[in-house]
Amino acid sequence: MMLRQAFIAVTMLTALATSPVSAAEFEKNIMTGGPQGTYIQIGRDVATLGKTCGPTLNVKESAGSLENFVGVRNSRNTQFGIVQSDVLEYLKTFEADDPEVQQAVRGVRIMFPLYNEEIHVLARAEIKDMGDLAGKKVAVGVKDSGTFLTSSLILDILQVKTGERVPLNPDAALPKLLSGEIDAFFYVAGAPAALFKNNPIDGTKFHLVPITEAPLLATYTPSRIEAGTYEFQKQPVDLIAVKAVMMTYDYDVKRNAYQRDSCKAVSDFSNLILNNLDTLQATGHPKWKDVDLTALPPGWQVGVCVKAGMALDYKPACTAPSAVSAQPDANEEYLNLLKERLKKK
């Protein structure tokens, strides 16, 4: 219930975007995460790809998945946001019986499934497993982040009663762990996470806690961080992961100019990502190599504007403008379009 209330509170902070912005170029934004996270690097890769074609994409820092989901639904000129799949599953669980959640998720659609994000728990060396977090002071992320939702779900599923759940984002939690003010912190991020690569961490005092408890496997995927991924981590660590998903909105091209321009932006970037996935894998964050475009989260539909951009004859704005036409909203169509493109390679 607390998590649901946090989500509803975030939705109240923004108003539904339906009006155009006066500018030489139509404004386009992607909501990502913290400055050292994987999401913001993925967003920057997509923005760089856009520059090769022409369209500017602004990369926005955020608290994470919950804020990003609400931003796509409510924030002006925010056509894209990266969200964890357990956030999507959580919202679907409440949607059937909760009118507020139904309203909050209406119109939000899949753009592309991306990669698995590892659930890191960095802790003092004497904390050997998740059960050892009992009675400890643990940073769980700020309340509108995916890390907050994931850490809360994991601790509740395992019935681990920490001494205190501290609402800190990972950037703020790391120095407090190193100084002894907290005992551990959660961080959901695709490995290698810059936070752990760019900051000195003493491997004799701190380590990543294994997460192998069976009750978690109904929701999360088993994963492993190999030895040497981070300088402080000399041994492989088995843990769990959650899928990162790029989300968008189902804009109605018949409604107004803002909706048409936003749909065009979604179609253009869908086309650019699909046609240049090899480039992203070669030059972008290492997690692009793990992207699986077929791994659609259950219960969520791919956006109409996304599928328009996937059409074999679609040309993004930098090549030749093309009108976007509405198509049936079905994931089977998305997968068929994907197969057609893969055959061309």
Side-chain angles (χ1 to χ4, degrees):
M1 182 61 67
M2 179 179 65
L3 295 176
R4 175 196 162 277
Q5 290 172 345
F7 172 72
I8 296 300
V10 176
T11 69
M12 298 298 104
L13 297 179
T14 53
L16 182 63
T18 57
S19 302
V21 173
S22 296
E25 180 185 350
F26 180 71
E27 184 180 349
K28 299 170 287 293
N29 295 289
I30 180 171
M31 294 188 69
T32 58
Q36 297 191 70
T38 306
Y39 283 2
I40 199 164
Q41 296 175 68
I42 294 295
R44 287 169 179 161
D45 291 340
V46 175
T48 299
L49 181 62
K51 289 179 182 178
T52 67
C53 167
T56 300
L57 180 65
N58 302 314
V59 180
K60 299 292 186 182
E61 291 185 19
S62 75
S65 290
L66 282 173
E67 184 178 348
N68 296 350
F69 185 97
V70 175
V72 166
R73 175 66 175 85
N74 290 357
S75 293
R76 177 174 296 179
N77 294 95
T78 301
Q79 296 85 3
F80 313 100
I82 306 176
V83 179
Q84 294 168 203
S85 61
D86 59 346
V87 170
L88 300 180
E89 183 174 341
Y90 175 82
L91 294 174
K92 275 297 176 187
T93 299
F94 279 104
E95 183 184 14
D97 301 317
D98 193 317
E100 286 184 302
V101 175
Q102 290 171 16
Q103 177 62 27
V105 304
R106 186 171 294 126
V108 180
R109 296 289 186 265
I110 299 290
M111 183 165 173
F112 290 124
L114 297 175
Y115 50 84
N116 285 337
E117 299 183 272
E118 287 74 21
I119 298 171
H120 303 71
V121 177
L122 187 67
R124 293 188 288 105
E126 59 267 30
I127 296 175
K128 302 299 184 183
D129 57 32
M130 297 298 288
D132 287 344
L133 295 177
K136 301 298 192 295
K137 194 172 184 178
V138 181
V140 294
V142 293
K143 290 189 176 181
D144 46 358
S145 70
T147 292
F148 174 77
L149 184 140
T150 298
S151 61
S152 299
L153 287 175
I154 287 174
L155 292 172
D156 290 348
I157 290 170
L158 297 180
Q159 298 182 358
V160 173
K161 295 184 178 179
T162 60
E164 183 180 354
R165 297 187 186 185
V166 185
L168 289 172
N169 66 34
D171 290 354
L174 177 58
K176 290 188 178 295
L177 174 66
L178 299 182
S179 67
E181 296 176 66
I182 61 174
D183 300 300
F185 71 91
F186 280 79
Y187 187 25
V188 182
L195 179 67
F196 296 138
K197 288 187 72 71
N198 298 341
N199 291 283
I201 298 171
D202 186 344
T204 66
K205 296 180 179 179
F206 307 98
H207 73 134
L208 293 175
V209 179
I211 310 175
T212 58
E213 289 78 2
L216 299 174
L217 299 182
T219 302
Y220 300 98
T221 302
S223 187
R224 170 176 283 196
I225 293 181
E226 298 295 344
T229 300
Y230 304 117
E231 187 174 348
F232 67 88
Q233 193 70 42
K234 305 303 182 184
Q235 301 295 325
V237 183
D238 291 321
L239 34 69
I240 54 178
V242 63
K243 181 72 70 177
V245 184
M246 189 176 294
M247 305 297 290
T248 187
Y249 187 79
D250 240 3
Y251 296 102
D252 182 358
V253 297
K254 298 179 181 179
R255 186 172 179 182
N256 57 35
Y258 173 84
Q259 298 268 330
R260 288 190 293 275
D261 288 343
S262 290
C263 188
K264 180 65 177 172
V266 172
S267 298
D268 283 353
F269 275 94
S270 297
N271 187 277
L272 288 169
I273 291 171
L274 198 56
N275 283 337
N276 295 278
L277 188 56
D278 291 347
T279 299
L280 290 168
Q281 291 172 340
T283 63
H285 188 279
K287 275 296 181 181
W288 282 108
K289 296 181 176 67
D290 298 334
V291 167
D292 180 1
L293 296 179
T294 68
L296 294 168
W300 293 84
Q301 296 296 313
V302 176
V304 167
C305 305
V306 175
K307 290 183 288 186
M310 292 179 66
L312 291 174
D313 60 350
Y314 184 88
K315 302 295 183 184
C318 57
T319 305
S322 175
V324 176
S325 58
Q327 300 181 27
D329 188 6
N331 287 348
E332 182 178 358
E333 180 183 7
Y334 165 90
L335 293 172
N336 288 337
L337 288 165
L338 187 60
K339 288 176 184 177
E340 288 180 15
R341 284 193 161 275
L342 292 175
K343 289 178 183 176
K344 297 291 183 180
K345 289 188 177 294

XYZ file of all heavy atoms in Angstrom, residues 1 3-4 7-8 66 69 84-102 105 149 153 157 218-220 297-300:
308
model
N 0.823 -1.208 0.000
C 0.000 0.000 0.000
C 0.861 1.264 0.000
O 0.583 2.234 -0.685
C -0.926 -0.010 1.229
C -1.857 1.189 1.293
S -2.975 1.288 -0.124
C -3.994 -0.158 0.166
N 3.803 1.647 -1.330
C 4.367 1.845 -2.658
C 3.327 2.418 -3.606
O 3.620 3.293 -4.416
C 4.902 0.521 -3.193
C 6.081 -0.084 -2.420
C 6.438 -1.438 -2.989
C 7.273 0.831 -2.443
N 2.090 1.915 -3.519
C 1.017 2.438 -4.353
C 0.796 3.906 -4.074
O 0.640 4.726 -4.975
C -0.275 1.657 -4.112
C -1.466 2.226 -4.867
C -2.779 1.672 -4.309
N -3.870 2.527 -4.736
C -4.238 3.648 -4.139
N -3.566 4.084 -3.081
N -5.244 4.368 -4.596
N 3.422 6.025 -5.682
C 3.211 6.174 -7.121
C 2.124 7.209 -7.391
O 2.285 8.088 -8.237
C 2.811 4.828 -7.731
C 2.401 4.931 -9.170
C 3.348 5.170 -10.149
C 1.077 4.800 -9.549
C 2.980 5.270 -11.480
C 0.699 4.900 -10.874
C 1.654 5.123 -11.839
N 1.011 7.127 -6.685
C -0.079 8.085 -6.892
C 0.379 9.496 -6.557
O 0.029 10.460 -7.240
C -1.315 7.702 -6.050
C -1.865 6.341 -6.529
C -2.386 8.763 -6.136
C -2.300 6.326 -7.974
N 9.816 5.068 -11.304
C 8.475 5.573 -11.023
C 8.301 6.983 -11.582
O 7.281 7.294 -12.217
C 8.195 5.560 -9.516
C 7.842 4.200 -8.912
C 7.772 4.300 -7.395
C 6.520 3.678 -9.457
N 8.052 6.753 -15.421
C 6.757 6.268 -15.897
C 5.725 7.388 -15.869
O 5.010 7.629 -16.841
C 6.282 5.096 -15.031
C 5.013 4.459 -15.528
C 5.067 3.320 -16.317
C 3.772 4.995 -15.222
C 3.897 2.737 -16.792
C 2.601 4.426 -15.684
C 2.666 3.296 -16.470
N 11.837 0.031 -14.997
C 12.078 -1.362 -14.645
C 10.808 -2.188 -14.845
O 9.705 -1.735 -14.563
C 12.513 -1.480 -13.184
C 13.857 -0.859 -12.894
C 14.115 -0.726 -11.398
O 14.914 0.096 -10.991
N 13.423 -1.499 -10.567
N 10.995 -3.441 -15.267
C 9.834 -4.288 -15.525
C 9.087 -4.671 -14.254
O 7.881 -4.943 -14.308
C 10.250 -5.557 -16.276
O 11.178 -6.327 -15.529
N 9.754 -4.698 -13.096
C 9.000 -5.016 -11.879
C 8.094 -3.855 -11.482
O 7.049 -4.070 -10.849
C 9.910 -5.437 -10.718
C 10.935 -4.391 -10.322
O 11.156 -3.428 -11.087
O 11.528 -4.539 -9.234
N 8.448 -2.623 -11.880
C 7.538 -1.495 -11.695
C 6.290 -1.700 -12.554
O 5.163 -1.493 -12.101
C 8.230 -0.166 -12.064
C 7.224 0.983 -12.108
C 9.349 0.144 -11.076
N 6.490 -2.151 -13.797
C 5.356 -2.405 -14.677
C 4.476 -3.522 -14.126
O 3.236 -3.426 -14.144
C 5.856 -2.779 -16.078
C 6.709 -1.727 -16.794
C 7.131 -2.248 -18.167
C 5.973 -0.406 -16.932
N 5.097 -4.583 -13.634
C 4.330 -5.688 -13.061
C 3.568 -5.238 -11.816
O 2.405 -5.611 -11.613
C 5.271 -6.844 -12.716
C 4.561 -8.073 -12.183
C 5.496 -9.248 -11.976
O 6.596 -9.236 -12.562
O 5.124 -10.165 -11.234
N 4.209 -4.430 -11.014
C 3.566 -3.910 -9.806
C 2.326 -3.082 -10.153
O 1.265 -3.230 -9.548
C 4.581 -3.068 -9.035
C 4.042 -2.363 -7.827
C 3.900 -3.038 -6.617
C 3.671 -1.023 -7.883
C 3.400 -2.391 -5.496
C 3.180 -0.372 -6.759
C 3.046 -1.058 -5.581
O 2.549 -0.413 -4.485
N 2.456 -2.208 -11.161
C 1.326 -1.363 -11.549
C 0.193 -2.194 -12.137
O -0.991 -1.910 -11.878
C 1.791 -0.311 -12.554
C 2.770 0.727 -12.007
C 3.279 1.627 -13.129
C 2.128 1.559 -10.911
N 0.512 -3.227 -12.913
C -0.522 -4.093 -13.458
C -1.289 -4.814 -12.349
O -2.487 -5.044 -12.443
C 0.099 -5.121 -14.413
C 0.293 -4.610 -15.826
C -1.049 -4.270 -16.477
C -0.872 -3.661 -17.840
N -2.144 -3.183 -18.411
N -0.576 -5.160 -11.280
C -1.214 -5.843 -10.159
C -2.305 -4.979 -9.547
O -3.389 -5.463 -9.182
C -0.167 -6.204 -9.087
O 0.806 -7.072 -9.661
C -0.815 -6.880 -7.888
N -2.052 -3.664 -9.435
C -3.026 -2.758 -8.832
C -4.066 -2.237 -9.819
O -5.134 -1.799 -9.416
C -2.314 -1.560 -8.191
C -1.747 -1.860 -6.833
C -0.394 -2.072 -6.653
C -2.584 -1.944 -5.732
C 0.125 -2.352 -5.402
C -2.079 -2.227 -4.475
C -0.725 -2.439 -4.305
N -3.748 -2.291 -11.112
C -4.602 -1.623 -12.097
C -6.027 -2.144 -12.097
O -6.993 -1.372 -12.198
C -3.999 -1.778 -13.495
C -4.791 -1.052 -14.573
C -4.242 -1.285 -15.961
O -3.410 -2.207 -16.129
O -4.641 -0.560 -16.870
N -6.206 -3.456 -11.992
C -7.525 -4.052 -12.146
C -8.536 -3.513 -11.137
O -9.715 -3.326 -11.464
C -7.424 -5.573 -12.020
N -8.095 -3.238 -9.912
C -9.017 -2.876 -8.839
C -8.873 -1.443 -8.340
O -9.525 -1.067 -7.369
C -8.823 -3.837 -7.651
C -9.053 -5.281 -8.041
O -10.033 -5.547 -8.770
O -8.240 -6.139 -7.647
N -8.040 -0.646 -8.987
C -7.780 0.694 -8.468
C -7.972 1.734 -9.570
O -7.147 1.846 -10.479
C -6.347 0.765 -7.932
C -6.105 2.013 -7.097
O -6.558 3.101 -7.515
O -5.458 1.910 -6.041
N -9.049 2.524 -9.509
C -9.308 3.530 -10.550
C -8.188 4.556 -10.689
O -7.923 5.029 -11.806
C -10.610 4.193 -10.083
C -11.267 3.176 -9.209
C -10.139 2.450 -8.527
N -7.523 4.921 -9.604
C -6.442 5.901 -9.686
C -5.260 5.357 -10.484
O -4.666 6.064 -11.303
C -5.988 6.307 -8.276
C -6.969 7.211 -7.557
C -6.418 7.660 -6.210
O -6.111 6.773 -5.377
O -6.294 8.865 -6.001
N -4.916 4.097 -10.246
C -3.827 3.490 -10.999
C -4.247 3.301 -12.455
O -3.453 3.504 -13.379
C -3.394 2.154 -10.372
C -2.336 1.463 -11.233
C -2.834 2.385 -8.966
N -5.490 2.926 -12.694
C -5.989 2.800 -14.066
C -5.797 4.103 -14.832
O -5.360 4.101 -15.988
C -7.471 2.419 -14.050
C -7.761 1.010 -13.569
C -9.244 0.757 -13.375
O -10.087 1.513 -13.856
N -9.573 -0.312 -12.672
N -1.961 4.855 -15.590
C -1.253 4.048 -16.588
C -1.886 4.161 -17.973
O -1.309 3.687 -18.952
C -1.194 2.558 -16.176
C -0.570 2.404 -14.806
C -2.557 1.903 -16.226
N 11.281 0.819 -5.068
C 10.254 -0.201 -5.199
C 10.863 -1.596 -5.133
O 10.364 -2.471 -4.423
C 9.486 -0.012 -6.509
C 8.320 -0.982 -6.716
C 7.128 -0.274 -7.324
C 8.738 -2.157 -7.591
N 10.172 -4.406 -2.261
C 9.573 -5.694 -2.592
C 10.455 -6.852 -2.127
O 9.962 -7.825 -1.545
C 9.350 -5.790 -4.102
C 8.218 -4.957 -4.694
C 8.215 -5.085 -6.214
C 6.872 -5.378 -4.134
N 9.315 -9.573 0.510
C 9.189 -10.976 0.104
C 9.997 -11.876 1.026
O 9.551 -12.957 1.439
C 9.644 -11.151 -1.358
C 8.630 -10.497 -2.318
C 9.811 -12.635 -1.709
C 9.112 -10.414 -3.752
N 10.359 -15.921 -8.606
C 9.055 -15.797 -9.257
C 8.918 -14.447 -9.945
O 8.133 -14.303 -10.892
C 7.932 -15.978 -8.230
N 9.674 -13.464 -9.487
C 9.574 -12.100 -10.032
C 10.834 -11.684 -10.771
O 10.755 -10.924 -11.744
C 9.296 -11.099 -8.892
O 8.094 -11.485 -8.222
C 9.152 -9.680 -9.420
N 11.996 -12.192 -10.350
C 13.264 -11.715 -10.886
C 14.025 -12.839 -11.591
O 13.754 -14.022 -11.391
C 14.108 -11.108 -9.769
C 13.418 -9.944 -9.105
C 12.721 -10.107 -7.913
C 13.420 -8.691 -9.700
C 12.061 -9.027 -7.320
C 12.763 -7.619 -9.114
C 12.085 -7.797 -7.925
O 11.426 -6.735 -7.354
N 7.418 -7.275 -21.832
C 6.812 -7.530 -20.525
C 5.348 -7.936 -20.690
O 4.622 -7.335 -21.489
C 6.920 -6.179 -19.800
C 7.961 -5.428 -20.546
C 7.881 -5.890 -21.966
N 4.887 -8.940 -19.969
C 3.490 -9.366 -20.107
C 2.524 -8.283 -19.650
O 2.782 -7.556 -18.696
C 3.410 -10.593 -19.191
C 4.548 -10.449 -18.232
C 5.629 -9.735 -18.983
N 1.405 -8.190 -20.373
C 0.340 -7.273 -19.968
C 0.453 -5.870 -20.520
O -0.432 -5.040 -20.288
N 1.523 -5.574 -21.278
C 1.738 -4.227 -21.815
C 1.832 -4.285 -23.329
O 2.410 -5.206 -23.891
C 3.005 -3.605 -21.228
C 2.877 -3.342 -19.768
C 3.089 -4.226 -18.752
C 2.454 -2.125 -19.155
N 2.840 -3.639 -17.545
C 2.446 -2.343 -17.757
C 2.095 -0.875 -19.645
C 2.085 -1.355 -16.847
C 1.747 0.118 -18.744
C 1.742 -0.119 -17.370
